[in-house]
């Protein structure tokens, strides 16, 4: 017989489970729960009442055991007054009870008395009145015998035992009666007279025949001292039922609430089951904001593609691409998250439109996207597609009445089915995307094996950087800045790292790692402290520079404690805010108005720190932002300076930036000046300050000290070295 297919087995299992699932309805489950709850609560309350009655019985037995030892003797023998004929008529059972075997002299006298009663002729003459009394006891009134119910003889009401029992048991409202039994003789020691209805329905006092009854229950407690001594306690069951009903009411309310919630949930599930399965699958797989595949669905599709068999003999089985948006954080901080969502939706539409419907596109999270092209194996084709993608995504996006734009950095990995697992493929595409952002953004980079080595190197640099900060393996170099008359106006401080094993580590290798890992914040504190110490040392040699300029990163500006840390360092070294100038890259300075970076820059400017825009012209600037930040300098990027004297040099942009600085009332500084031709052109164009290797290369603190002393010996520099830079200084 052929084995059943997995689908048939699943159907059979579902058919077997379906009746069980159909039985578990809210109503049926609630009914069963109610019955179980009723049984549990009632059993618990009955056990509790029984335990209390046993405790009361133990207390009654203790009272009895503390009483006289001859409690069961006849009243005449104990010296108690004889019961009246009426009382004997009420309780004749005691006369019918068998007497205990006679022992000793007292039993002999009792036997003589019984013999005399049986044979009156043999007795001596006595007083007639005295002879009639026992006759009345022997032959009581027949009517009295028929009217009295059978019950044990009760202790006299005046007995100390009865009074002690009443004093102990009257406060216990659930105790109805207590009977003391020894062998076959029982006597009532307590009865609650305030419950006539219960007393009428209570069976005759005696030993317990059953634990439960209505309306009273009964328990028996044995003596620990006398084996045949027992106490029977009859207790009222009505309070037990009232308490159980109260508890059941609360429990039923809770069960009703649970049943209502369950029913609502089943109704919602039933409504959900009515949704078509394709629609449910789409909801589970698609990103809620963009409608693209979510991360889980995209990775599942990529895994299926990787595990499928290769078709043909192509070198690759498609291309995995990682996308990351440039300037998205700027838009999000400037215009808010609603505008950011609009940008993400627009980018998703453009990706879908450009790549086509047959390409799997997913949003991995934040502003990161991915795509899998399965029918492309040529790098040239991928480059063409990505060129169109970058062009389409970079088109303006209307946010209200403002036109904004984002860039697109792309990392691509040409994959081969089965060679790598899912995580490794994603990692390689991510490495390529990181390289695209690191090398200029807005471009495509294919994965290369060297990127793995670079990633490992960055990880090693990050680990070594932590130790370097703790061990102060850094030192500062300084490059002078000159005005149009070759006077030193200040120096720019640059950090260098001397590794104990590797030697000098280039700044372009460890600075990006420090910024990405967040180590730039503690590194910045070390740099500020070293700069302040070097400046104080120069002033002790009567070489007080007007200021020292240093770079500050975006990550440092987001640190809420940065301003306080700088002020604390200045106070510790005895310096002023005018002694320090902060250089901020153009991309950092142009962040949104709502960003923490802007607040920190404004606070620094308000404290009289100089603010310079570094690498001006390499990014995107806003005139409003320049005025809002109240910058003091525009440092023109070195790539514009290097173009001077080159073939096809167009001076328009360089002249425009210099003229813009003059019109804004801020100083223009040209970086990277290397030749005399560049110096001549910049001075003729009106650039106010120059910096580069043509004048002086970066120097250590000791080299700078000797260089300044040498310059100070020249009378032509004496008038300008000490003078602070002022925006009002102009060219002659």
């Amino acid at each position: 017989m052929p084995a059943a297919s997995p689908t048939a087995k699943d159907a059979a299992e579902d058919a077997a489970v379906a009746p069980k699932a159909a039985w578990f309805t809210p109503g049926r489950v609630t009914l069963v729960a109610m019955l179980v709850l009723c049984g549990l609560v009632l059993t618990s309350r009955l056990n509790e009442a029984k335990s209390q009655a046993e405790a009361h019985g133990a207390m009654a037995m203790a009272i009895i055991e503390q009483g006289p030892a001859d409690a069961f003797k006849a009243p005449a023998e104990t010296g108690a007054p004889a019961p009246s004929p009426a009382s004997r008529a009420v309780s004749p059972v005691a006369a019918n009870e068998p007497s205990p075997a006679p022992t000793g002299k007292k039993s002999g006298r009792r036997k003589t008395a019984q013999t005399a009663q049986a044979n009156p002729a043999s007795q001596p003459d006595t007083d007639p009145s005295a002879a009639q009394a026992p006759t009345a006891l022997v032959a009581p009134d027949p009517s009295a015998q028929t009217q009295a119910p059978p019950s044990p003889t009760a202790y006299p009401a005046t007995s100390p035992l009865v009074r002690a029992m009443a004093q102990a048991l009257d406060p216990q409202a659930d105790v109805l009666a207590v009977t003391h039994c020894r062998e076959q003789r029982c006597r009532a020691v307590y009865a609650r007279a305030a419950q006539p209805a219960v007393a009428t329905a209570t069976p005759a006092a005696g030993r317990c025949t059953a634990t439960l009854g209505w309306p009273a229950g009964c328990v028996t407690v044995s003596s620990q001292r006398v084996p045949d001594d027992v106490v029977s306690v009859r207790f009222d069951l009505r309070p037990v039922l009232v308490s159980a009903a109260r508890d059941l009411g609360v429990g039923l309310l809770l069960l009703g609430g649970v049943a209502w919630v369950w029913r609502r949930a089943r109704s919602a599930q039933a409504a959900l089951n009515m949704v078509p399965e394709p629609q449910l699958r789409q909801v589970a797989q698609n990103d809620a904001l963009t409608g693209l595949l979510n991360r889980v669905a995209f990775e599942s599709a990529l895994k299926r593609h990787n595990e499928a068999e290769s078709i043909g003999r192509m070198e690759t089985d498609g291309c995995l691409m990682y996308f990351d948006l440039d300037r998205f954080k700027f838009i999000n901080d400037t215009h808010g998250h609603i505008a950011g969502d609009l940008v993400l939706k627009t980018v998703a539409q453009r990706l879908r439109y450009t790549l086509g419907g047959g390409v799997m596109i997913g949003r991995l999270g934040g502003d990161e996207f991915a795509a899998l092209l399965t029918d492309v194996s040529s790098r040239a084709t991928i480059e063409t597609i990505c060129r169109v993608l970058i062009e389409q995504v970079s088109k303006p996006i209307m946010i209200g009445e403002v036109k904004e734009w984002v860039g697109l950095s792309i990392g691509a990995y040409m994959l081969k089915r089965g060679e790598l697992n899912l995580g490794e493929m994603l990692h390689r595409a991510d490495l390529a995307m990181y390289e695209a952002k690191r090398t200029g953004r807005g471009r495509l980079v294919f994965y290369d094996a060297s990127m793995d080595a670079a990633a490992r190197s960055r990880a090693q640099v990050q680990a070594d950087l932590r130790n370097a900060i703790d061990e102060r393996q850094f030192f500062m170099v300084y490059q002078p800045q000159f005005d149009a008359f070759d006077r030193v106006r200040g120096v720019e401080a640059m950090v260098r790292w001397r590794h104990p094993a590797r030697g000098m580590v280039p700044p372009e290798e460890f600075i990006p790692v420090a910024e990405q890992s967040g180590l730039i914040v503690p590194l910045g504190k070390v740099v500020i402290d070293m700069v302040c110490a070097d400046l104080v040392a120069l002033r002790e040699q009567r070489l007080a520079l007007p200021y020292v300029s240093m770079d500050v990163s975006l990550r440092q500006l987001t640190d809420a404690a940065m301003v306080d840390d700088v002020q604390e360092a200045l106070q510790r070294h005895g310096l002023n805010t005018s002694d320090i100038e902060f250089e901020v890259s153009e991309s950092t300075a142009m962040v949104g108005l709502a960003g923490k970076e802007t607040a920190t820059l404004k606070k620094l400017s308000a404290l009289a720190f100089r603010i310079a825009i570094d690498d001006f012209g390499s990014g995107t600037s806003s005139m409003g932002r320049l005025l809002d930040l109240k910058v003091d300098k525009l440092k023109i990027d070195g790539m514009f300076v290097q173009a001077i004297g080159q073939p096809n040099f167009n001076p328009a942009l360089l002249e425009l930036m210099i003229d813009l600085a003059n019109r804004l009332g801020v100083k223009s500084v040209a970086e990277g000046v290397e030749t005399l031709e560049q110096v001549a052109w910049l001075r003729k164009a009106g650039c106010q300050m120059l910096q580069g290797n043509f004048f002086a290369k970066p120097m250590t603190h000791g080299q700078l000290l000797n260089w300044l002393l040498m310059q100070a010996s020249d009378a032509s520099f004496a008038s300008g070295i000490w003078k602070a830079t002022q925006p009002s200084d102009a060219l002659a």
Side-chain angles (χ1 to χ4, degrees), residues 19 28 48 50 61 138 144 170 176-177 192 218 238 249 269 404 410 449 456 467 576 610 661 726 729:
R28 292 176 179 174
E48 182 180 351
K50 182 180 177 182
M61 178 61 76
V138 173
D170 279 345
L176 300 178
R192 186 176 298 278
C218 185
R238 292 176 301 173
Q269 183 65 30
E404 286 288 359
I410 307 174
R456 290 192 294 269
N467 296 329
N576 300 319
R610 292 184 177 89
Q726 299 294 333
D729 293 346

Side-chain angles (χ1 to χ4, degrees), residues 339-643:
D341 291 345
L342 175 62
V343 170
L344 292 175
K345 292 179 183 178
T346 304
V347 170
Q349 293 173 358
R350 293 175 179 178
L351 289 176
R352 190 185 293 112
Y353 172 79
T354 306
L355 294 175
V359 177
M360 289 183 293
I361 311 172
R363 181 189 175 205
L364 304 185
D367 60 339
E368 291 186 355
F369 300 84
L372 176 62
L373 281 68
T374 59
D375 55 351
V376 177
S377 59
S378 169
R379 288 200 173 195
T381 305
I382 297 296
E383 290 175 352
T384 303
I385 293 174
C386 289
R387 191 180 306 113
V388 177
L389 270 177
I390 294 173
E391 180 182 350
Q392 291 295 324
V393 171
S394 301
K395 289 183 177 180
I397 301 174
M398 293 300 300
I399 301 177
E401 298 180 355
V402 180
K403 285 185 178 181
E404 286 288 359
W405 62 275
V406 292
L408 190 66
S409 297
I410 307 174
Y413 169 64
M414 307 299 293
L415 58 89
K416 185 70 175 176
R417 285 190 175 107
E419 284 188 351
L420 301 174
N421 58 32
L422 176 65
E424 292 173 337
M425 290 189 296
L426 293 172
H427 176 65
R428 292 190 173 187
D430 185 47
L431 286 178
M433 186 267 293
Y434 173 83
E435 188 67 17
K437 295 183 73 69
R438 190 186 69 85
T439 55
R441 302 175 182 266
R443 56 188 303 232
L444 165 68
V445 172
F446 286 95
Y447 168 79
D448 185 80
S450 61
M451 295 179 184
D452 280 321
R456 290 192 294 269
S457 176
R458 287 194 297 270
Q460 184 61 46
V461 168
Q462 180 176 338
D464 293 343
L465 194 57
R466 295 180 184 274
N467 296 329
I469 294 174
D470 295 335
E471 299 174 4
R472 292 292 187 102
Q473 298 176 4
F474 301 95
F475 65 95
M476 304 303 300
V477 295
Y478 302 91
Q479 187 172 38
Q481 296 174 348
F482 294 83
D483 64 8
F485 302 99
D486 293 336
R487 295 177 298 189
V488 177
R489 311 299 279 178
V491 293
E492 179 183 357
M494 293 165 281
V495 65
R496 296 293 184 262
W497 180 12
R498 184 182 289 108
H499 194 280
R502 298 175 54 191
M504 295 298 299
V505 181
E508 58 272 14
E509 183 176 342
F510 72 86
I511 292 296
V513 175
E515 291 182 349
Q516 183 182 15
S517 62
L519 294 175
I520 193 67
V521 174
L523 177 60
K525 295 179 182 179
V526 173
V527 168
I528 292 174
D529 187 70
M530 289 191 298
V531 167
C532 292
D534 289 348
L535 184 56
V536 170
L538 289 174
R539 289 185 174 178
E540 289 176 352
Q541 299 295 326
R542 300 182 59 82
L543 295 172
L545 289 172
Y547 64 88
V548 177
S549 178
M550 68 181 72
D551 292 331
V552 61
S553 70
L554 179 67
R555 195 69 173 267
Q556 289 175 274
L557 292 174
T558 59
D559 182 21
M562 177 194 169
V563 177
D564 295 335
D565 292 339
V566 172
Q567 288 183 305
E568 190 273 332
L570 293 179
Q571 292 176 0
R572 188 170 63 252
H573 293 282
L575 300 175
N576 300 319
T577 57
S578 59
D579 296 323
I580 301 296
E581 179 180 271
F582 290 109
E583 296 185 6
V584 185
S585 66
E586 185 178 23
S587 58
T588 300
M590 296 300 118
V591 294
L593 295 173
K596 297 179 181 179
E597 306 88 349
T598 300
T600 303
L601 287 173
K602 288 185 176 181
K603 192 172 183 180
L604 291 172
S605 180
L607 293 173
F609 287 100
R610 292 184 177 89
I611 304 296
I613 304 300
D614 197 14
D615 301 329
F616 187 73
S618 62
T620 303
S621 295
S622 167
M623 300 301 104
R625 293 287 290 148
L626 292 176
L627 294 175
D628 181 62
L629 293 176
K630 299 179 180 179
V631 299
D632 300 290
K633 291 180 182 177
L634 296 181
K635 298 190 69 174
I636 301 172
D637 190 82
M639 66 177 181
F640 298 100
V641 177
Q642 295 299 320

Side-chain angles (χ1 to χ4, degrees), residues 88-117:
R88 288 175 176 258
V90 172
S91 303
V93 179
N96 299 328
E97 292 177 354
S99 302
T103 57
K105 297 180 180 179
K106 290 185 180 180
S107 60
R109 290 197 296 270
R110 183 178 300 172
K111 182 176 181 181
T112 304
Q114 292 175 353
T115 304
Q117 291 177 0

